[in-house]
Amino acid sequence: MNTIIAQYDNDHRDADLMRRAAQILREGGLVAFPTETVYGLGGDALNPEASARIYAAKGRPSDNPLIVHIADMEALKVLAREIPEKAYRLADHFWPGPLTMILKKTEIVPVQTTGGLDTVAIRMPSHPTAYELIRTSGLYLAAPSANTSGRPSPTEAEHVRQDLDGRIDMIIDSGRVDIGLESTIVDLSGDEPMILRPGYITKAMLEEVIGPVKIDPGLLSGSEDPHMRPKAPGMKYRHYAPKGSLSIVEGKRDAVAETINRLTKEHEEAGHRTAVIASEENQDLYTCERVIDIGSRDHEESIAANLYEVLRQMDEDQIDYIYSESFAGAGLGAAIMNRLLKAAGHKVIRV
Ligand code: TXA
Ligand code: MG
């Protein structure tokens, strides 16, 4: 399959291109498009064949459900039933934006889209290209992140091309995304709201609007115990993992630097390609040949925005051993560490 790659500039909108993309989607084809979080791989959410194509293109296990992207509030009632009042309050505050809500699904949503579940994940993205595409197609768009399953999510169109060129119909390129980490997922289908995947919208931000919110205990453990498995099927897979060995080193600043410098020296002397992922503030503490500045601790958004690109870079540079600082923090830190810990297969060195 020849994948069309097209630039779409929101300041000079190309209506023809948008109509062409919409037509592909209406015929059951696949179009990758930017959202404010990461690039998504879109297909008609109500067409089981389109969903099947999404799973095939990504190499994704079919028990891992897709998020349905909408552009207006009417769509919510078409796709979900027994919508609690808290869902409307969250939508009021955070939509359009990086929040996905899990609700009970209506008959109209095929189980191929929900991975066999009786619930559906719904999100109204704020990126103008995503909005245009949903509107022009007149569809609800099932869209997982537009990466090969297991790879870091794409934060620019070039990442999508690397993973999916020749496997999908079109890639719409509107430049780098804003946030760089996938949406916060909150489950509102049960008795108590529960975060299934941390993201840009934090627990504190949700609680300000709807009161107490739990965090899926399965997120924290990284254990193989089936009772502790994450509730979002996608969170149980080892994701985002670079090919080399990634470890996170946690502790006081100087002790972390000392440990990383000792370990990277050993690897370099043994002839291995080695790298350190450090904050802007700390990068000068490291003696390793390759030190990657991932962003500033005073500006967690910059770390979130760079994380996936840095992980992809590690593979491109064929790095064997990677050591990263910890970026735990009160705000976005939870989402950053959730992804980084998964990428590291929960390998943490405490010093
Ligand atoms: O920011 C995002 O959410 C991006 C952009 C493209 O919108 N999309 C995204 O989709 O990250 P994906 O497919 O890569 O991740 C969806 C996650 C998976 O972990 C999946 O298991 C979970 O959402 N999920 C989807 N439907 C669910 C459901 N009904 N119940 C529980 N978890 C669900
Ligand atoms: Mg994904």
Side-chain angles (χ1 to χ4, degrees), residues 190-205:
D191 294 336
E192 294 164 306
M194 187 184 282
I195 294 174
L196 306 191
R197 179 173 74 183
Y200 184 82
I201 312 273
T202 62
K203 181 171 185 280
M205 287 158 80

mmCIF file of all heavy atoms in Angstrom, residues 190-205:
data_model
loop_
_atom_site.group_PDB
_atom_site.id
_atom_site.type_symbol
_atom_site.label_atom_id
_atom_site.label_comp_id
_atom_site.label_asym_id
_atom_site.label_seq_id
_atom_site.Cartn_x
_atom_site.Cartn_y
_atom_site.Cartn_z
ATOM 1 N N GLY A 190 -17.883 2.510 36.839
ATOM 2 C CA GLY A 190 -18.080 1.799 38.101
ATOM 3 C C GLY A 190 -18.642 2.717 39.172
ATOM 4 O O GLY A 190 -19.140 3.799 38.869
ATOM 5 N N ASP A 191 -18.540 2.271 40.439
ATOM 6 C CA ASP A 191 -19.095 3.055 41.534
ATOM 7 C C ASP A 191 -18.267 4.303 41.832
ATOM 8 O O ASP A 191 -18.809 5.341 42.194
ATOM 9 C CB ASP A 191 -19.188 2.198 42.803
ATOM 10 C CG ASP A 191 -20.192 1.075 42.622
ATOM 11 O OD1 ASP A 191 -21.093 1.242 41.770
ATOM 12 O OD2 ASP A 191 -20.057 0.029 43.286
ATOM 13 N N GLU A 192 -16.955 4.157 41.712
ATOM 14 C CA GLU A 192 -16.081 5.291 42.031
ATOM 15 C C GLU A 192 -15.183 5.605 40.843
ATOM 16 O O GLU A 192 -14.637 4.694 40.225
ATOM 17 C CB GLU A 192 -15.176 4.931 43.213
ATOM 18 C CG GLU A 192 -15.915 4.730 44.504
ATOM 19 C CD GLU A 192 -15.032 3.995 45.512
ATOM 20 O OE1 GLU A 192 -14.512 2.909 45.177
ATOM 21 O OE2 GLU A 192 -14.863 4.541 46.613
ATOM 22 N N PRO A 193 -14.997 6.902 40.542
ATOM 23 C CA PRO A 193 -14.105 7.271 39.442
ATOM 24 C C PRO A 193 -12.689 6.763 39.719
ATOM 25 O O PRO A 193 -12.196 6.876 40.854
ATOM 26 C CB PRO A 193 -14.125 8.796 39.453
ATOM 27 C CG PRO A 193 -15.318 9.187 40.256
ATOM 28 C CD PRO A 193 -15.583 8.081 41.207
ATOM 29 N N MET A 194 -12.050 6.221 38.698
ATOM 30 C CA MET A 194 -10.707 5.672 38.896
ATOM 31 C C MET A 194 -9.818 5.997 37.699
ATOM 32 O O MET A 194 -10.220 5.819 36.551
ATOM 33 C CB MET A 194 -10.798 4.161 39.068
ATOM 34 C CG MET A 194 -9.474 3.530 39.441
ATOM 35 S SD MET A 194 -9.563 1.734 39.522
ATOM 36 C CE MET A 194 -10.345 1.516 41.104
ATOM 37 N N ILE A 195 -8.606 6.480 37.988
ATOM 38 C CA ILE A 195 -7.638 6.760 36.927
ATOM 39 C C ILE A 195 -7.016 5.446 36.467
ATOM 40 O O ILE A 195 -6.443 4.712 37.282
ATOM 41 C CB ILE A 195 -6.539 7.723 37.421
ATOM 42 C CG1 ILE A 195 -7.148 9.102 37.728
ATOM 43 C CG2 ILE A 195 -5.413 7.851 36.388
ATOM 44 C CD1 ILE A 195 -6.174 10.079 38.367
ATOM 45 N N LEU A 196 -7.143 5.153 35.185
ATOM 46 C CA LEU A 196 -6.547 3.931 34.636
ATOM 47 C C LEU A 196 -5.219 4.214 33.936
ATOM 48 O O LEU A 196 -4.432 3.308 33.702
ATOM 49 C CB LEU A 196 -7.497 3.252 33.637
ATOM 50 C CG LEU A 196 -8.919 2.940 34.104
ATOM 51 C CD1 LEU A 196 -9.607 2.042 33.080
ATOM 52 C CD2 LEU A 196 -8.920 2.267 35.472
ATOM 53 N N ARG A 197 -5.019 5.487 33.556
ATOM 54 C CA ARG A 197 -3.737 5.877 32.953
ATOM 55 C C ARG A 197 -3.492 7.334 33.296
ATOM 56 O O ARG A 197 -4.307 8.190 32.961
ATOM 57 C CB ARG A 197 -3.792 5.700 31.430
ATOM 58 C CG ARG A 197 -2.500 6.096 30.720
ATOM 59 C CD ARG A 197 -2.519 5.761 29.234
ATOM 60 N NE ARG A 197 -3.367 6.653 28.474
ATOM 61 C CZ ARG A 197 -3.599 6.543 27.162
ATOM 62 N NH1 ARG A 197 -3.054 5.556 26.476
ATOM 63 N NH2 ARG A 197 -4.372 7.401 26.552
ATOM 64 N N PRO A 198 -2.390 7.660 34.004
ATOM 65 C CA PRO A 198 -2.123 9.066 34.338
ATOM 66 C C PRO A 198 -1.717 9.842 33.086
ATOM 67 O O PRO A 198 -1.159 9.278 32.152
ATOM 68 C CB PRO A 198 -0.964 8.990 35.332
ATOM 69 C CG PRO A 198 -0.332 7.659 35.135
ATOM 70 C CD PRO A 198 -1.355 6.744 34.522
ATOM 71 N N GLY A 199 -2.008 11.129 33.082
ATOM 72 C CA GLY A 199 -1.671 11.970 31.923
ATOM 73 C C GLY A 199 -1.587 13.422 32.336
ATOM 74 O O GLY A 199 -1.408 13.738 33.517
ATOM 75 N N TYR A 200 -1.745 14.295 31.374
ATOM 76 C CA TYR A 200 -1.604 15.736 31.591
ATOM 77 C C TYR A 200 -2.617 16.251 32.615
ATOM 78 O O TYR A 200 -2.314 17.128 33.426
ATOM 79 C CB TYR A 200 -1.792 16.444 30.247
ATOM 80 C CG TYR A 200 -1.575 17.924 30.304
ATOM 81 C CD1 TYR A 200 -0.285 18.444 30.249
ATOM 82 C CD2 TYR A 200 -2.644 18.797 30.418
ATOM 83 C CE1 TYR A 200 -0.079 19.802 30.310
ATOM 84 C CE2 TYR A 200 -2.447 20.161 30.479
ATOM 85 C CZ TYR A 200 -1.162 20.656 30.426
ATOM 86 O OH TYR A 200 -0.958 21.996 30.490
ATOM 87 N N ILE A 201 -3.845 15.711 32.571
ATOM 88 C CA ILE A 201 -4.857 16.084 33.572
ATOM 89 C C ILE A 201 -4.576 15.224 34.810
ATOM 90 O O ILE A 201 -4.752 13.999 34.782
ATOM 91 C CB ILE A 201 -6.282 15.776 33.058
ATOM 92 C CG1 ILE A 201 -6.489 16.299 31.636
ATOM 93 C CG2 ILE A 201 -7.342 16.273 34.045
ATOM 94 C CD1 ILE A 201 -6.942 17.698 31.493
ATOM 95 N N THR A 202 -4.156 15.864 35.888
ATOM 96 C CA THR A 202 -3.711 15.107 37.064
ATOM 97 C C THR A 202 -4.886 14.739 37.965
ATOM 98 O O THR A 202 -5.992 15.267 37.827
ATOM 99 C CB THR A 202 -2.705 15.941 37.886
ATOM 100 O OG1 THR A 202 -3.402 17.128 38.332
ATOM 101 C CG2 THR A 202 -1.495 16.350 37.064
ATOM 102 N N LYS A 203 -4.590 13.852 38.941
ATOM 103 C CA LYS A 203 -5.583 13.444 39.931
ATOM 104 C C LYS A 203 -6.149 14.669 40.650
ATOM 105 O O LYS A 203 -7.367 14.809 40.809
ATOM 106 C CB LYS A 203 -4.896 12.506 40.932
ATOM 107 C CG LYS A 203 -5.760 11.947 42.023
ATOM 108 C CD LYS A 203 -4.972 10.880 42.782
ATOM 109 C CE LYS A 203 -5.820 10.171 43.821
ATOM 110 N NZ LYS A 203 -5.959 10.958 45.059
ATOM 111 N N ALA A 204 -5.271 15.590 41.033
ATOM 112 C CA ALA A 204 -5.714 16.791 41.751
ATOM 113 C C ALA A 204 -6.665 17.629 40.889
ATOM 114 O O ALA A 204 -7.662 18.170 41.394
ATOM 115 C CB ALA A 204 -4.498 17.625 42.176
ATOM 116 N N MET A 205 -6.368 17.731 39.613
ATOM 117 C CA MET A 205 -7.232 18.509 38.712
ATOM 118 C C MET A 205 -8.609 17.859 38.590
ATOM 119 O O MET A 205 -9.641 18.552 38.586
ATOM 120 C CB MET A 205 -6.585 18.626 37.319
ATOM 121 C CG MET A 205 -5.398 19.570 37.270
ATOM 122 S SD MET A 205 -4.304 19.229 35.864
ATOM 123 C CE MET A 205 -5.193 20.015 34.541
#
